[in-house]
Amino acid sequence: MGSDSSSILAPKKPVPAQEEDPPSPTTALLSFNTDSTSSSDSSRKSTATTVVFISLLLVTCVALSAAGAFAFLFFSTPKTTIQTTSSDSVARPLRNLDRPVVLLISSDGFRFGYQFKAPTPNIGRLIANGTEAETGLIPVFPTLTFPNHYSIVTGLYPAYHGIINNHFVDPYTGDHFTMSSHEPKWWLGEPLWETVVNHGLKAALYFWPGSEVIKGSWTCPEKFCHQYNGSVPFEERVDSVLQYFDLPSSEIPVFMTLYFEDPDHQGHKVGPDDPQITEAVANIDRLIGKLIAGLEKRGVFEDVNIILVGDHGMVGTCDKKLIFLENLAPWIEIPADWVQSYTPLLAIRPPQGVEPSDVVKKINEGLKSGKVENGEYLRVYLKEELPSRLHYAASDRIPPIIGLLEEGFKVEQKGNDKKECGGAHGYDNAVFSMRTIFVGHGPQFPRGKKIPSFENVQIYNLVTSILNIPGAPNNGSLSFPKSVLLPSTP
């Protein structure tokens, strides 16, 4: 694999759960003042005090008895609410399928919190009776579509699976990668569909970045691998996936994907807070409902392990949050042909003979001078000096100079008269608005369980654990599935 195949980094641990607030202090008991004002008063008040005390004691006893009776009736009354806590100790047995099946669904750009923008009863059903990352799924950096979708199915950070951006240039050949590049040389690592086929099982993919790439044992078979076509209606995609469950049980693919472009499509146009987002989220929920109904009709809904995720979040951007590279001219000229990506990930590859460290030093001098508009919202690094948590250095495909923008800001080459507000993603994955969702539902997921946020590189091992097949080496933790899934029945 050459320079792109250096050893895999140590697995990143899931984000620990935030500690709960300490319990509220108990309320102090009321105290009675028993001091006598005089010895003569003491005799007169003694009888009255005794009567009052006995009366209060009787009233208290009656109140406690009533409260006890009410509590007995309340807690003994049968409940009809949705199950929200799991009493399962092991995975629930399959009823109508021969072996575990995983259906991995991606709703592109589904920012964590979107599930509260509209009524989402179907997603809510999966959450209430399944397992949810309580504060969202953490994407890998950069928080872009292709790097994240391929990290989900390989368990690798972009530096190791090779898809380091939606668009980039091979520094040795000068070849350009685009989102329609299907040559296997770009796509490193072993995606889940290849792992599944390696073990003599079937996979069926209704769109997923990398699924059309013929690599290793994966041939993208016609009946089980759809060539990407964004004009295919979402309902047709759901119907096609449901048809796989009409096959004889032994022929049903054990791993399937289903992909929707929304609400990312709307988010880029109008930002995360527009009514169009609300409509898109409601539509995704309706599609999930259609899927659930189809699985129930076939008697397999409770047998299928559904994993619903997004690839990244979304944040609003406007013209006032712009940084122009031309404003750095007093310190350094940055020609357009040096820049491989402007925003939200600034990526610069200077030509030979220009030292990257000198470029970084001069750019940051300008940004810190106070004379570059919005300069304080951009910090530029040599890639080796980026925060190690980003895992964004170990590939020659990554340009030597990387700029990190604050949430909502954008970089452009020079000023213009455009007036627009929209949405973007690609920022530091520590930014909360970049988080997306994770919901797992099925026989191997506990009911009503909330888990801490985690990076999406853990999903690969989660799927192979459900399918009970060994996976390829990856950046995820082998112990992670044990913290999420129910153990299999003995």
Side-chain angles (χ1 to χ4, degrees), residues 141 144 341-346 403-405 409-411 424-427:
F141 179 80
L144 298 168
S341 171
Y342 281 97
T343 195
L345 172 69
L346 178 63
L404 298 183
L405 280 158
F409 284 82
K410 299 173 72 174
V411 171
H425 53 88
Y427 299 93

Side-chain angles (χ1 to χ4, degrees), residues 428-460:
D428 189 334
N429 64 348
V431 176
F432 201 85
S433 63
M434 294 298 101
R435 288 195 186 185
T436 181
I437 57 169
F438 171 89
V439 182
H441 180 282
Q444 291 192 246
F445 287 100
R447 295 187 178 100
K449 184 174 182 178
K450 304 297 183 184
I451 59 175
S453 295
F454 62 93
E455 284 190 316
N456 63 22
V457 292
Q458 304 288 3
I459 292 175
Y460 178 92

Side-chain angles (χ1 to χ4, degrees), residues 66 158 358:
D358 292 339

Side-chain angles (χ1 to χ4, degrees), residues 6 62 98 117 150 162 180 189 281 336 359:
S6 54
V62 171
D98 290 342
K117 290 184 72 68
Y150 205 53
S180 60
V281 169
V359 175

